[in-house]
Amino acid sequence: MSHTIKGLSESSVKYDGSPLRVAIVHARWNTTVIDALVAGAVAKLKERGVKDSNIIIQSVPGSFELPLACSRVISGAHIQAASNVTDLLGGLSFGSGNSRAGTPAPAGVVTMPNEPFDAVIAIGVLIKGSTMHFEYICDAVSHALMKVQLDSGVPVIFGVLTALTDEQALDRAGLTPTGHNHGEDWGLAAVEMGSHVRR
Ligand SMILES: O=c1[nH]c(NC[C@H](O)[C@H](O)[C@H](O)CO)c([N+](=O)[O-])c(=O)[nH]1
């Protein structure tokens, strides 16, 4: 039986997420997988004590939009969001930036305060097609998310699956019998890294 050596080894330190404020920015491509990954990340954030009100979730069309959305979340752009994380799980459009801070939120949506985030989890699912589109997006997004992280000093957890097949994506969202939900690893990474750099 093949014995895998791959996988995340949890830290011996049990980081306390209770003071942390975490944003999850997710794409809306391949949402069967996206939804499982987001749920896995939220479950681990809450397991580590991050409050519902400090988990802000918003969505963008595709993975290519993740870097800009993460940058704007970190820079303090207003996010139009529902009142709690349950409503947010449906994903909400990105709010206006500071330049339009006075824009009234649509009925039933509140604008979240500009409080800083301790970590951002960027979640996307890219699945190889028959063209080179996949390669270009994967390369651009991975480099851009790293740049957002290093430029801002705020941890941006890389939650973008770059799958060659549907099965690989399903497996990494824990949607197959032997799969593991990588969203859980990303939630744990956000609490650990967010704790390290807390203001
Ligand atoms: O998140 C994804 N976006 C995808 N494309 C959209 C892209 O991220 C942008 O939203 C689009 O190019 C507009 O900028 C994907 N594919 O094309 O296959 C994909 O698999 N996953």
Side-chain angles (χ1 to χ4, degrees), residues 120-189:
V120 178
I121 305 175
I123 296 180
V125 176
L126 286 153
I127 301 176
K128 171 74 179 156
S130 56
T131 69
M132 288 290 290
H133 193 223
F134 169 84
E135 284 82 353
Y136 285 106
I137 296 179
C138 292
D139 187 62
V141 171
S142 53
H143 288 293
L145 288 174
M146 177 61 79
K147 187 171 190 317
V148 169
Q149 172 172 245
L150 296 178
D151 289 354
S152 67
V154 175
V156 175
I157 306 305
F158 185 71
V160 180
L161 294 186
T162 55
L164 298 178
T165 63
D166 292 2
E167 190 70 13
Q168 283 185 354
L170 292 166
D171 194 61
R172 286 152 182 78
L175 297 174
T176 61
T178 57
H180 165 69
N181 188 336
H182 285 230
E184 296 176 1
D185 303 336
W186 304 335
L188 293 175

Side-chain angles (χ1 to χ4, degrees), residues 21 23 25 56 58 67-81 93-103 110-117 120:
R21 183 164 160 74
V25 182
I56 304 304
Q58 59 102 21
L68 176 60
C70 291
S71 177
R72 287 164 60 83
V73 159
I74 289 168
S75 67
H78 281 279
I79 298 176
Q80 292 173 345
S93 63
F94 191 67
S96 60
N98 288 328
S99 57
R100 292 167 46 213
T103 309
V110 295
T111 296
M112 303 300 284
N114 272 344
E115 292 169 25
F117 287 100
V120 178

